[in-house]
Amino acid sequence: MTLPHFPRIPLGFFPTPLVELPRLSKVLGGPTIFMKRDDQTGLAFGGNKTRKLQYLLGDALNQGCGAVITAGAAQSNHCRQTAAAAAKLGLECHLVLGGDAPDKPSGNLLLDQIFDCRIHWAGEHRKGEDIPEIFEELQAAQKKPYIVPYGGSNELGTLAFAEAAHELDTQGNHHLFTHIVFASSSGGTQAGLMLGKKMLGKSYQVVGINIDKAETDGTYFDRHIVSLANCAAKLVGLEHEFTDQDLTLNSDYLGAGYAVIGDLENEAILLTARTEGILLDPVYTARAMGGLIQMIRSGEIGRKDRVLFWHTGGTPALFAYANGLDLARRTGKGFLQAPG
Ligand SMILES: *Cc1c(COP(=O)(O)O)cnc(C)c1O
């Protein structure tokens, strides 16, 4: 089954590379591990939101919009990629960010400012609660605003990840992955991979590692992902009703909360960097990789399995969370030895 055509605006470099991680795999004494490098989508340090924005901003341009509004945390990768895409397309960009303006911007926030977007500080409201008010102001000013949903996750953003599953299939048809593991937070990535899997008739398990325990849209996160998958299925004309049965969302690694960097994240960052020369971000991909490492250690993922870790980006946040990194404690001998 192929994907129907929707207006999509090119914003990045695709397909993103698919690489094997033999040294990481060896250190873990575990499965074959591949990585899909969506940290290399090419738009302002890359990330998975580039895929979604190709469809969302394609829709915005199609509707003749002149401004975009979106929301997120101060270190939102989604907001940074939206700001870059808006700059490229000549759209005015408004970001509604949680928290308060810091004295000195760093990481993603520094990049947002380089792209000259208007930042609205929203205190506790990091999920776009204040968007309607700004939308009305922009509308009154005849700017034809377009709302990019939180994390880019609506049926169009989901469609973009169904397309990503198709892209992977053209690169890795022969790989016979048993699991695809990635960070899941606003749900579009996971719902899209679920849809793509169904369309392609694949048997791999789509394993989202839950990053942020907060609810999304007033329904619990798992319900939200299933409903996104169903909305996107309608959009592509797939006759399938996704249910909880189709969903694997692992919530074992929420740690001390969103963007709180702990041992799990530290180990994942250092291990991946020191075995493969690849950077993870502290908030999303390190938590997801930490989860994968634990699942390998516990035997939940076996030695014979073939895992694809989907690197969803986020690396600029490394600079903003430098204080959470524990560089001193983990450089000792034995750190890179295979267990047993
Ligand atoms: C947004 C984001 C995710 C989560 O993707 P969703 O589609 O929102 O679930 C994972 N990793 C990074 C780096 C992100 O920026």
Side-chain angles (χ1 to χ4, degrees):
M1 178 171 187
T2 53
L3 289 158
H5 178 77
F6 285 88
R8 179 186 72 173
I9 197 89
L11 292 170
F13 305 133
F14 298 100
T16 55
L18 176 70
V19 299
E20 190 169 358
L21 309 183
R23 281 185 23 93
L24 179 63
S25 178
K26 182 148 182 256
V27 163
L28 295 171
T32 305
I33 306 174
F34 276 78
M35 184 183 270
K36 180 73 169 148
R37 299 292 305 270
D38 272 13
D39 58 321
Q40 305 290 323
T41 56
L43 179 69
F45 294 127
N48 63 342
K49 305 309 181 305
T50 304
R51 292 186 184 275
K52 302 174 178 187
L53 288 163
Q54 294 198 123
Y55 283 91
L56 291 161
L57 297 189
D59 185 37
L61 292 185
N62 210 33
Q63 291 183 31
C65 293
V68 294
I69 319 172
T70 199
Q75 283 300 325
S76 166
N77 302 301
H78 162 67
C79 289
R80 178 249 312 160
Q81 286 163 88
T82 304
K88 177 176 163 66
L89 301 175
L91 297 167
E92 185 174 304
C93 180
H94 292 255
L95 300 181
V96 185
L97 302 182
D100 303 296
D103 293 339
K104 218 176 156 212
S106 70
N108 283 303
L109 183 58
L110 173 68
L111 302 179
D112 294 342
Q113 297 190 358
I114 288 175
F115 291 121
D116 194 28
C117 46
R118 323 285 152 94
I119 294 175
H120 308 260
W121 290 101
E124 297 285 292
H125 296 173
R126 75 180 159 93
K127 297 207 168 182
E129 294 87 336
D130 298 345
I131 283 181
E133 200 182 313
I134 298 164
F135 181 84
E136 278 180 20
E137 281 169 25
L138 291 172
Q139 211 167 28
Q142 313 290 329
K143 294 202 167 151
K144 264 206 137 220
Y146 182 90
I147 297 176
V148 176
Y150 181 71
S153 286
N154 61 8
E155 61 270 38
L156 283 177
T158 300
L159 179 73
F161 259 89
E163 181 184 50
H166 283 73
E167 176 185 301
L168 172 71
D169 202 48
T170 66
Q171 297 173 297
N173 208 354
H174 54 289
H175 285 303
L176 298 176
F177 294 120
T178 53
H179 303 75
I180 299 184
V181 178
F182 53 93
S184 191
S185 144
S186 72
T189 300
Q190 183 152 12
L193 292 177
M194 285 162 59
L195 175 58
K197 169 188 167 169
K198 198 80 204 171
M199 294 175 78
L200 292 160
K202 292 286 159 183
S203 59
Y204 48 64
Q205 217 185 324
V206 174
V207 184
I209 305 291
N210 195 357
I211 299 300
D212 183 0
K213 63 180 137 222
E215 286 173 302
T216 308
D217 282 338
T219 61
Y220 287 105
F221 187 41
D222 46 3
R223 307 255 70 212
H224 180 67
I225 298 172
V226 170
S227 120
L228 275 174
N230 280 322
C231 292
K234 282 211 184 71
L235 206 61
V236 303
L238 177 75
E239 302 232 2
H240 176 76
E241 178 78 18
F242 289 94
T243 67
D244 289 356
Q245 301 295 312
D246 297 296
L247 180 74
T248 307
L249 180 68
N250 186 329
S251 298
D252 292 344
Y253 306 105
L254 293 164
Y258 178 77
V260 182
I261 321 302
D263 282 349
L264 182 95
E265 292 80 13
N266 264 292
E267 186 188 20
I269 288 172
L270 300 184
L271 201 54
T272 308
R274 292 171 187 184
T275 54
E276 299 290 349
I278 293 175
L279 297 170
L280 300 177
D281 86 287
V283 179
Y284 297 91
T285 50
R287 183 161 287 179
M289 179 62 87
L292 171 59
I293 292 170
Q294 296 309 316
M295 286 190 281
I296 291 169
R297 287 186 177 145
S298 73
E300 198 176 332
I301 289 180
R303 284 166 183 263
K304 296 255 161 64
D305 283 330
R306 298 177 62 82
V307 180
L308 175 70
F309 182 84
W310 204 296
H311 192 322
T312 44
T315 45
L318 272 173
F319 302 102
Y321 290 101
N323 289 340
L325 299 180
D326 186 5
L327 301 173
R329 239 182 59 203
R330 295 173 180 276
T331 51
K333 263 169 87 182
F335 179 66
L336 296 182
Q337 308 275 297

